[in-house]
RNA sequence: UGGGGCGUGGCCAAGCGGCAAGGCACGGGAUUUUGGUUCCCGCAUUCGUAGGUUCGAAUCCUACCGCCCCAGCCA
């Protein structure tokens, strides 16, 4: 964990802004109140985690409240399945909304009433222009728009038409309700934005009660104000919606004072990107639909569900977010930082275990045949209270294929013909002979061990630089290990516009190792627990993929590997 | 050619007129029965650029440059 002050590292510009609001008494009698407003049309990803944790942590820091509110105003794209997955993900992250679970759709009736008041005040009108016409009338980025010919209908006519829209008398797309603001505004959002549209589509919560649905720009500020949200945090692309947000809130306070008294204020912050992955919902969906991954919760996905299945912890994700920080500048966080956070946590919490992912057999020629001896090993080095375990050692073992080189460079500290290496927790062995098959592949190493070199009781005076892990063949348990790596081969998979981002997919992003020999203690591992496979990385015993007697471990992250760097440099 | 936003080392990010925090990454060294961990040390004479104000500017002013967002009856 990063060093914590009383605020954690949550001292960003929003934190200071809220503090100032409090000092100036801007919140009146209210406490700080934030919200997370997901649309239930997809899975949450790590970028959402930033918003969730920011809103939740800010509320907690100021002893305020945090709402979960589903922004479910578009029944065409939204489903209960996503409501469920989103709640599960937020809960897992540790953001607690208490009893404040809300749905935008819960307020449809109040919103309708508010819309009526806008009409009565002459500030909204029913527009019969087609979708294409509205677009034409809107003007362009550089030219002002034109006023709709329906802009000056009488209040009575608007009221009647809006009521008939509600009653289902008109087909989809035939009419909309628009706010009457300013068709010549440089801000397109203010050019008489559509605030209600006709959608004869049943809603996942309100069923077929409504056939008109409010638009985000109308709905969101009103919902915020209604719930008494003091600080409505959103991403930076909404910055130019803020004048409209304020317009809606101001009108709600003025025209609907019996339900809206507080002026919520919107503050924007930059969304986060991550290296070696993509974050847009559209691209993530393609990865799923085109089967590049096995689902939204595939451990290679940057989704919360994917990170969870990979084995990341909520603490590591929160730590990561705090270290990344919050600002208004577009940013791409380094995956290495996320990896650092999970390693830092697991280094002191994960028990060690030995497994040989790519085994080669070693026969210890001078080992008393049939004999097994126990090697005592620490569960977590440097943490005595984590205890030790007994690992069986005998005359035939597996070691990692990459821990042997027939013709090694001088800096190679592991096993080679005529060289010695220590077997972690056991003895020093000496490589006498290399046995190969017809294809020249090493099939077996014949080594001798030095009885004087027993771990912890070494009287030989020998010093070896290399220590490798091993598994006794006779006692080996078998597991499946999913070796996950970055889903993309380059930091920014989207950087080259002329090629599809899927062309940058890493073909090695998943390597499945079956029948991996592991020390017998692996059989007692609890599903959902995390381990360090010595020298190989941190692994998560995936409860979803494992079956009785058939454990499946997902590699969360590799260990740092200085040797790999040395090798690369040559 | 309109509106909004952003530019501090490879990636984030503090800084708010007094002389560039911190983290990750990277490089070097020590310790180490994980080439892991830990521990030292190094890493922006400079803050997009150019002018100006000032005793003093990343911080104020001006101009310019670059990048991002906006023309859904999506959110």
């Amino acid at each position: 964990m990063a060093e914590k002050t009383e605020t954690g590292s949550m001292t960003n510009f929003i934190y200071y802004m809220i503090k100032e609001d409090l000092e100036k008494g801007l919140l009146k009698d209210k406490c700080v109140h934030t919200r997370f407003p997901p649309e239930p049309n997809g899975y949450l990803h790590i970028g959402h985690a930033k918003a969730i944790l920011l809103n939740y942590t800010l509320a907690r820091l100021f002893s305020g409240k945090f709402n979960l509110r589903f922004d479910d105003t578009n029944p065409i794209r939204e489903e209960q399945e996503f409501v469920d997955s989103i709640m599960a993900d937020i809960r897992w992250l540790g953001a607690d909304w208490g009893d404040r679970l809300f749905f935008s759709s819960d307020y449809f009736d109040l919103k309708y009433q508010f819309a009526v008041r806008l009409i009565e005040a002459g500030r909204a009108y029913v527009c019969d222009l087609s979708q294409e016409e509205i677009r034409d009338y809107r003007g362009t980025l550089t030219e002002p728009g034109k006023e709709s010919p329906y802009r000056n209908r009488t209040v009575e006519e608007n009221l009647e038409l809006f009521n008939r829209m509600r009653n289902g008398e008109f087909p989809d797309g035939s009419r909309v309700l628009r706010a009457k603001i300013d068709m010549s505004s440089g801000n397109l959002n203010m050019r008489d934005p559509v605030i209600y549209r006709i959608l004869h589509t049943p809603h996942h919560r309100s069923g077929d009660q409504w056939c008109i649905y409010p638009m985000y720009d109308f709905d969101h500020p009103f919902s915020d104000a209604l719930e008494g949200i003091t600080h409505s945090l959103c991403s930076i692309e909404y910055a130019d919606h803020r004048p409209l947000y304020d317009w809606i809130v101001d009108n709600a306070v003025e025209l609907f004072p019996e339900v809206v008294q507080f002026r919520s204020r919107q503050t924007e912050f930059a969304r986060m990107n991550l290296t070696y992955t993509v974050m847009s919902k559209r691209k993530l969906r393609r990865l799923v639909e085109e089967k590049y991954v096995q689902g939204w919760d595939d451990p290679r996905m940057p989704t919360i569900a994917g990170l969870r299945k990979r084995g990341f912890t909520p603490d590591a994700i929160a730590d990561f977010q705090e270290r990344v920080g919050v600002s208004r500048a577009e940013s791409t966080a380094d995956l290495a930082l996320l990896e650092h956070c999970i390693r830092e946590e697991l280094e002191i919490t994960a028990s060690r275990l030995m497994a040989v992912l790519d085994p080669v057999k070693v026969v210890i020629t001078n080992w008393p045949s049939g004999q097994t001896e126990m090697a005592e090993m620490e569960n977590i080095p440097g943490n005595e209270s984590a205890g030790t375990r007994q690992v069986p050692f005998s005359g035939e073992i597996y070691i990692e294929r990459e821990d042997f080189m027939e013709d090694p460079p001088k800096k190679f500290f592991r096993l080679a013909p005529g060289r010695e290496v220590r077997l972690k927790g056991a003895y020093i062995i000496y490589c006498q002979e290399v046995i190969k098959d017809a294809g020249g592949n090493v099939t077996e190493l014949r080594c001798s061990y030095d009885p004087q070199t027993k771990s912890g009781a070494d009287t030989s005076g020998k010093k070896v630089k290399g220590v490798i892990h091993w598994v006794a063949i006779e006692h080996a348990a078998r597991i499946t290990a999913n070796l996950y790596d970055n889903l993309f081969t380059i930091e920014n998979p989207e950087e080259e516009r002329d090629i599809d981002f899927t062309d940058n997919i890493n073909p090695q992003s998943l390597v499945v190792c079956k029948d991996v020999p592991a020390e017998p203690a692996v059989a007692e591992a609890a599903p959902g627990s995390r381990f360090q496979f010595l020298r190989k990385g941190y692994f998560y015993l995936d409860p979803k993929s494992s079956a009785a007697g058939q454990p499946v471990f997902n590699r969360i992250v590799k260990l740092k590997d200085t040797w790999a760097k040395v090798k690369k440099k040559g």
Side-chain angles (χ1 to χ4, degrees), chain A residues 168-175 198-200:
Chain A
E169 296 185 29
F170 307 121
D172 289 5
S174 59
R175 276 176 238 263
I198 301 170
L199 248 31
H200 290 269

Side-chain angles (χ1 to χ4, degrees), chain A residues 5 30 72 116 201 254 269 306 318 381 385 441 452 477 513 545 562:
Chain A
T5 63
K30 293 183 57 57
D72 55 349
V116 166
T201 304
E254 179 190 341
F269 62 92
S385 65
N441 305 303
Q452 306 293 298
C513 299
S545 306
T562 307

Side-chain angles (χ1 to χ4, degrees), chain A residues 66-84:
Chain A
F66 166 74
N67 291 6
L68 170 58
R69 181 181 70 235
F70 284 94
D71 245 346
D72 55 349
T73 58
N74 185 350
I76 294 170
R77 346 198 289 172
E78 294 152 11
E79 292 168 34
Q80 184 62 37
E81 175 204 344
F82 296 123
V83 171
D84 297 338

